[in-house]
Amino acid sequence: MFFERVAAQLAPLGADRATALLAHLATGEPADVPVDPALFEALRLEGFDRRHDPTLYQHADQLPVAVLLRWAKLLAAALAPHASSFHMVFPDGRHWPEALLTYSAGGTVLGHIGSATADKVPAATFEALLAADDLAPSALLVAALTPPVGEDDDLDFARFRQRLVKHMPGYADHLDRHLETVRPSLSPADEDVRLHVLRLLDTAHDTTLSRVATEIAQMAVAKQRRVRSKAEDLVRRSLDTAVPALRVLAASGKSTGRGLALRLLGSIAQEHGWADLWTFTWQTAHAQPSQAAEDLRAEWRAAGFGEVIAPAPLPVEPATVPFRSDAPTDEALARFWSLVQRDIEAHNDDARESQEEFEEDGHDVALNLLAQPDRRTMDALHHCLRNRDWRTGPQAGIDRFTAWNLVGPQIAALAEAGDLSPGAALRMLWFFDVLADDDSLLRPVWDVFTALRRGTGEPTLRGLRSIVESARVPGESLNSWPWYAASTEADWPGEVVWPYLRAHMHEVIRDMDARAGERGVLYRAIASMPAPPEPLLAALFEVALGSGKARAKEAQDALAGHPDLARRLEAARTDTRAAVRKNAEAWAARLG
């Protein structure tokens, strides 16, 4: 199948040259094959109007290593005129690992970043390829952890390509095998590099994280908020080893780090009901004269926390929520394709009309028409919806504009009509590559699942997290839900949001005063919870009494009429922090 698909791509080069190239791939002879712009065009390596075929990499692990290595080197050779677009560093200026990584994910080295959900070449296969080319089996991992090279405006693209590494099948085992090789890269100083390294640890085994708990704990008390937030998530996956490391930092680290370590330890103790850890945190905080420790003690007093009694642990809920994945009927899919084709043709009609108007005005404008989905694409979607190994199959290969603006609304219409299960909705979003970029959910996800709620009443927010995690998209990406919920708040009422807030309380608290998103949606959800967890409610009151005027006003509006408002306002008026006292007086005056 691999050679058949390669032959189809090489056909425009003519029979003789295509035959020579195929012979080179199969046997290594002839050893030298001419590489010119014609090969670049035939393989569609630019990847914008005509995409390189990602189905070439299905079952790549079943190809002979020598064949796949020659193919990867052929890709890199065809891209030689664009060598400046490579960013990952390998010995002797070799580029084939980055070329293979990028194109197997449906991307290009010229700009299109590809899909993080693509997983065509397993990590073990890459190890074998690297060894066959006399490189260390860990060379790809080391390159992924190394700061990328290039102009500043290219670094986001470069880091995304590097993060494709963590989505390779078998990556977690690969990282665990080579952890000592990359350990020196786990303590960078630069904020962007720290975030990059932490993202590469997202999909590690918990046991692997435990082996680097000291490095993670140090980043969890970093000055940079974004670094701390990301590291805290990894700390909570390695508590047995991370908590002792944090205790050391809380007792003897740098001044700023001590306060941040105490805050994190206190949060962990409260979440789990660990009395011994709470006592250590309380006593250590009261023994330190720093302003950070004083601020923390004031927060605890305002929340009513004492030295001995720690909050009871929250009820344990299942980590994942089961969901249906039955495929839509053939009739529903036929209707979907018919509407997609209609909308594409309508868009093309508008393009033709616009071109005619420009030509009448004397302007020479190219006519760019969107391609209609072909039978191969329709069959691939059928496979995606009806097979357990759907993530190993091809994606649509439709450009992002068409998928986002013309296909996405029809997936939502299918969902609202009750013709999609949650799992089928996820698969369609993945198939059309509008699920996630750079570990962030894309807008069509929210549109489709909001429509699904209108049509079927499912999923809950916790359920949606389980759904996206099943596609290897980090569950934390769902914390952006307040950004989208402003216009659909009624579709996600409290009872379908509150369990999520409880289950992921530490993430919610961490992001409580973040600037991004429609934070009022989050604040109202917390304030309306029946018997909200004390740390969550205390964090919301901290925002309401904080220095960010816009956020404080939104939090105060959400807390209007809350039964605990009077008590907390009275406590805040005697807070040791002058700013909190001032804000409490202003809030009380506004309430009359």
Side-chain angles (χ1 to χ4, degrees):
M1 185 66 72
F2 171 77
F3 282 99
E4 291 176 9
R5 288 174 174 164
V6 171
Q9 292 224 324
L10 296 178
L13 298 175
D16 290 345
R17 189 171 179 201
T19 299
L21 286 168
L22 289 169
H24 167 75
L25 289 175
T27 67
E29 298 293 338
D32 296 319
V33 292
V35 177
D36 57 23
L39 180 60
F40 177 86
E41 292 292 333
L43 295 179
R44 305 175 185 177
L45 299 182
E46 182 180 6
F48 293 101
D49 295 331
R50 298 169 68 246
R51 296 281 293 277
H52 181 70
D53 184 6
T55 65
L56 289 165
Y57 305 96
Q58 293 177 33
H59 311 300
D61 56 325
Q62 298 176 19
L63 285 172
V65 170
V67 170
L68 189 56
L69 180 58
R70 284 192 286 269
W71 170 252
K73 289 185 174 182
L74 187 65
L75 286 179
L79 288 160
H82 307 280
S84 62
S85 295
F86 287 104
H87 295 275
M88 300 177 78
V89 179
F90 294 92
D92 303 323
R94 279 174 271 200
H95 297 307
W96 67 260
E98 184 177 356
L100 183 61
L101 174 72
T102 304
Y103 283 93
S104 66
T108 81
V109 299
L110 302 180
H112 182 66
I113 53 182
S115 172
T117 58
D119 57 354
K120 307 305 181 189
V121 181
T125 301
F126 257 109
E127 288 189 15
L129 291 168
L130 292 163
D133 201 33
D134 296 323
L135 292 171
S138 60
L140 182 62
L141 182 58
V142 171
L145 284 160
T146 302
V149 297
E151 301 295 329
D152 287 344
D153 57 356
D154 292 333
L155 295 187
D156 285 342
F157 288 109
R159 289 196 174 100
F160 183 87
R161 287 210 292 272
Q162 289 174 309
R163 288 196 292 275
L164 291 174
V165 172
K166 75 176 184 181
H167 293 285
M168 296 186 301
Y171 167 75
D173 291 335
H174 175 69
L175 175 62
D176 195 70
R177 283 194 295 273
H178 303 290
L179 189 62
E180 295 309 315
T181 302
V182 301
R183 188 184 290 274
S185 302
L186 299 180
S187 301
D190 179 78
E191 178 179 7
D192 287 335
V193 177
R194 283 183 163 193
L195 286 169
H196 175 65
V197 170
L198 288 168
R199 290 187 181 109
L200 285 168
L201 295 175
D202 268 345
T203 51
H205 294 309
D206 290 354
T207 51
T208 303
L209 295 178
S210 294
R211 293 168 57 194
V212 289
T214 298
E215 290 87 347
I216 293 172
Q218 288 170 345
M219 285 193 272
V221 299
K223 292 181 180 179
Q224 304 99 335
R225 177 187 174 87
R226 293 187 302 162
V227 173
R228 292 200 307 272
S229 297
K230 197 70 179 173
E232 284 178 16
D233 292 335
L234 301 182
V235 162
R236 285 179 162 82
R237 292 173 50 194
S238 53
L239 291 176
D240 287 349
T241 49
V243 166
L246 285 170
R247 290 177 68 137
V248 171
L249 293 171
S252 57
K254 296 180 180 179
S255 177
T256 303
R258 289 199 302 271
L260 293 169
L262 286 168
R263 183 180 297 277
L264 180 53
L265 287 171
S267 175
I268 292 170
Q270 293 164 18
E271 290 167 21
H272 295 274
W274 292 347
D276 290 345
L277 180 60
W278 176 255
T279 299
F280 165 82
T281 306
W282 177 278
Q283 293 176 350
T284 305
H286 281 74
Q288 294 181 4
S290 68
Q291 185 61 48
E294 174 56 32
D295 291 345
L296 187 58
R297 293 194 294 269
E299 290 178 27
W300 289 342
R301 285 194 297 271
F305 296 153
E307 179 177 1
V308 177
I309 301 175
L314 295 172
V316 176
E317 296 180 310
T320 59
V321 179
F323 56 91
R324 298 182 299 110
S325 294
D326 44 299
T329 65
D330 290 341
E331 179 184 3
L333 273 183
R335 186 172 70 253
F336 162 79
W337 282 120
S338 175
L339 292 172
V340 167
Q341 291 168 331
R342 180 203 66 185
D343 289 351
I344 290 176
E345 189 55 36
H347 179 276
N348 288 342
D349 286 342
D350 290 342
R352 295 185 187 98
E353 184 178 337
S354 296
Q355 189 203 36
E356 291 174 1
E357 292 175 355
F358 277 114
E359 288 181 343
E360 290 173 0
D361 292 338
H363 301 292
D364 184 16
V365 178
L367 178 61
N368 295 315
L369 299 179
L370 302 178
Q372 290 283 6
D374 55 18
R375 172 50 56 186
R376 180 178 172 183
T377 301
M378 296 180 185
D379 290 344
L381 177 60
H382 188 278
H383 173 277
C384 178
L385 290 168
R386 288 169 170 79
N387 286 272
R388 294 185 63 182
D389 60 344
W390 55 279
R391 293 186 70 253
T392 65
Q395 291 176 280
I398 291 176
D399 67 275
R400 179 62 63 78
F401 175 88
T402 304
W404 191 300
N405 296 287
L406 302 179
V407 177
Q410 295 306 335
I411 302 176
L414 202 62
E416 191 159 3
D419 291 324
L420 272 188
S421 65
L426 172 76
R427 295 184 186 198
M428 292 187 76
L429 290 163
W430 174 86
F431 180 77
F432 290 104
D433 198 19
V434 287
L435 176 62
D437 266 351
D438 195 12
D439 298 338
S440 298
L441 292 178
L442 298 177
R443 175 68 199 230
V445 176
W446 190 255
D447 293 340
V448 167
F449 282 101
T450 297
L452 188 63
R453 278 202 52 76
R454 291 172 182 160
T456 67
E458 59 178 336
T460 65
L461 200 59
R462 280 192 71 235
L464 182 53
R465 180 157 176 151
S466 294
I467 291 166
V468 300
E469 285 178 335
S470 73
R472 285 187 176 167
V473 178
E476 184 185 352
S477 62
L478 200 62
N479 293 341
S480 62
W481 70 271
W483 179 273
Y484 303 115
S487 60
T488 59
E489 196 169 358
D491 297 302
W492 298 84
E495 58 268 21
V496 303
V497 171
W498 295 330
Y500 182 93
L501 300 181
R502 290 191 179 92
H504 304 287
M505 182 173 65
H506 73 275
E507 293 177 9
V508 176
I509 292 174
R510 182 197 67 198
D511 297 336
M512 187 78 73
D513 63 349
R515 294 181 183 275
E518 185 64 44
R519 307 315 301 180
V521 175
L522 173 61
Y523 299 160
R524 287 190 291 275
I526 296 171
S528 63
M529 291 177 74
E534 176 55 38
L536 202 54
L537 188 59
L540 181 56
F541 270 98
E542 277 294 310
V543 175
L545 293 164
S547 57
K549 291 184 179 179
R551 296 193 296 277
K553 174 65 164 55
E554 287 185 302
Q556 289 175 14
D557 289 344
L559 288 164
H562 193 278
D564 206 28
L565 175 58
R567 183 188 72 80
R568 290 182 185 265
L569 264 183
E570 188 61 32
R573 287 166 132 168
T574 59
D575 196 283
T576 58
R577 296 166 290 176
V580 171
R581 294 195 303 272
K582 179 181 178 181
N583 292 336
E585 292 291 349
W587 188 2
R590 189 160 69 88
L591 292 174

